[in-house]
Amino acid sequence: MKLLAALFAALALIGALATAQKAASEDPVVAAYRDLVAKDLRLATIGYHLASGSAAYCRNRWRNPGWVLHDERQYPDLGVARRAFTFRQPVSIAALVEGGPAKRAGLAAGDGLFGADGNVVWYGPAPKTHQPSSDRIDGLREEFATRLSEGRPVAFKFDTATGRRDILLDPPEVCASDFWVDVRAKRDAGADGERVRVTSGLVDYVLDDDELAAVVAHELAHNLLDHRPRINAAKSGKTKVIKATEAEADRLSVWLMANAGYDPEAAISFWQRYGKATGLGIFSAPTHYRWQTRVAMLREEIDRMASLPAVNGRREPPLLAAHRAEQ
Ligand SMILES: [Zn+2]
């Protein structure tokens, strides 16, 4: 939960600033909360497309409903959260991926999670004072991922605009990763094996969805190729291992982008612009390649990919094929 501490700090700061300008017609804290959800949806949507575009080739897969859930308890200011969003239950849908399984099942933003598989979600007594925490929603996310992993349709109970309804969700398997926006101005991104994290500063920096897809595809590649356990298992020469995983993530990223309908050339234009502008940031450490080397590597990989025939617009990424064969 350490990562969320930064989010709380940032949102609390926005809250303090907003109290000072309460006269403004549009509450800036409400606007900041809504902007965060809009960014989360943008990231979730790009992540979903990347994960479903290469679903057939991934060894690591899960069933993603294509929703952004939020817990009113995760916001520093409960009153503002309730003004900014509809919460039909303390944990509700913040936003839905267009065309995703949850959206197609008829769910809408504001619909509140009441239970699953006949069990009522345990919300517990409300604390006397509001303490922001993500424990509850993290626990639920894990529980639902486990239920969905059994491969059968799961009956979710939701409070909707038209009353309490049972919604049967049976999402297709896609490449396994979750995605979340880390509220920080620093341009940064990361992957912990299960989730891809992109800072709001980096979301604001990219020119378009293709560029954001380049960043997300690189981080997603780390998760799909199990780089985290490989780095952890390395007894010596960690720097070399990390450098190798960085090169793999770059190479796989352009295949993931193309399979999802994003322009792989955006990976080159993004890293070029980013490298020239900063020369620092995510890729400054000695474990990472210089941006000129990365761009040359991406060029080579895009050319190699373009020389192979596509089936229904998709190509099997060699790194994912090798990863499947590893078992
Ligand atoms: Zn990386």
Side-chain angles (χ1 to χ4, degrees):
M1 297 332 94
K2 266 187 217 131
L3 294 170
L4 273 166
L7 167 99
F8 297 148
L11 288 176
L13 177 67
I14 295 165
L17 291 173
T19 318
Q21 358 163 317
K22 210 139 207 166
S25 59
E26 151 110 305
D27 186 336
V29 197
V30 167
Y33 282 22
R34 287 182 180 156
D35 177 61
L36 173 60
V37 164
K39 285 190 168 76
D40 261 319
L41 176 62
R42 188 175 169 202
L43 185 62
T45 301
I46 289 171
Y48 189 84
H49 289 153
L50 291 169
S52 65
S54 294
Y57 315 118
C58 282
R59 185 175 93 195
N60 302 345
R61 300 205 279 186
W62 76 311
R63 304 205 303 150
N64 184 349
W67 62 27
V68 178
L69 295 178
H70 60 174
D71 184 339
E72 54 183 22
R73 204 186 271 174
Q74 80 194 55
Y75 295 95
D77 189 321
L78 182 61
V80 175
R82 287 178 177 166
R83 279 208 302 286
F85 310 110
T86 301
F87 284 95
R88 296 197 174 94
Q89 284 290 338
V91 174
S92 290
I93 292 176
L96 293 137
V97 172
E98 201 55 56
K103 178 96 180 186
R104 276 186 277 116
L107 285 161
D111 288 352
L113 200 47
F114 188 73
D117 280 341
N119 297 318
V120 170
V121 170
W122 186 80
Y123 283 113
K128 281 200 178 67
T129 50
H130 179 67
Q131 272 302 338
S133 159
S134 66
D135 289 356
R136 177 167 65 185
I137 191 152
D138 287 344
L140 281 176
R141 259 196 215 103
E142 219 171 286
E143 191 184 326
F144 293 141
T146 306
R147 281 171 200 237
L148 285 167
S149 72
E150 290 161 19
R152 60 186 170 78
V154 174
F156 287 91
K157 209 174 269 301
F158 274 94
D159 278 337
T160 71
T162 55
R164 188 158 293 172
R165 288 167 59 198
D166 282 308
I167 311 272
L168 212 58
L169 286 177
D170 195 11
E173 281 197 323
V174 297
C175 300
S177 189
D178 212 347
F179 309 89
W180 70 285
V181 174
D182 181 9
V183 183
R184 280 194 292 151
K186 188 186 171 198
R187 294 166 196 157
D188 193 20
D192 67 1
E194 288 177 3
R195 304 184 83 190
V196 165
R197 175 185 64 85
V198 181
T199 64
S200 48
L202 189 50
V203 174
D204 284 333
Y205 178 76
V206 298
L207 289 183
D208 52 29
D209 279 359
D210 289 290
E211 285 201 357
L212 188 51
V215 173
V216 178
H218 174 98
E219 300 302 339
L220 176 62
H222 282 310
N223 286 348
L224 299 182
L225 296 172
D226 291 314
H227 284 163
R228 184 59 48 193
R230 198 201 298 177
I231 291 165
N232 291 344
K235 296 270 184 288
S236 61
K238 257 198 182 69
T239 305
K240 209 174 151 194
V241 175
I242 293 175
K243 223 166 167 173
T245 60
E246 286 310 316
E248 283 187 13
D250 274 342
R251 290 193 184 277
L252 177 52
S253 72
V254 291
W255 298 76
L256 297 176
M257 290 174 76
N259 283 347
Y262 294 106
D263 181 4
E265 294 291 335
I268 290 189
S269 58
F270 173 76
W271 296 123
Q272 222 157 21
R273 196 165 58 86
Y274 186 88
K276 279 180 189 162
T278 63
L280 292 167
I282 323 176
F283 313 105
S284 60
T287 46
H288 291 60
Y289 288 91
R290 290 169 66 233
W291 67 266
Q292 290 94 335
T293 314
R294 301 189 63 186
V295 165
M297 220 155 52
L298 288 165
R299 174 86 276 146
E300 195 184 282
E301 195 71 13
I302 290 174
D303 291 347
R304 180 183 172 200
M305 177 172 69
S307 72
L308 297 172
V311 180
N312 297 324
R314 287 172 182 154
R315 297 177 182 89
E316 178 167 29
L319 280 163
L320 286 181
H323 186 248
R324 279 207 322 279
E326 261 171 35
Q327 265 185 329

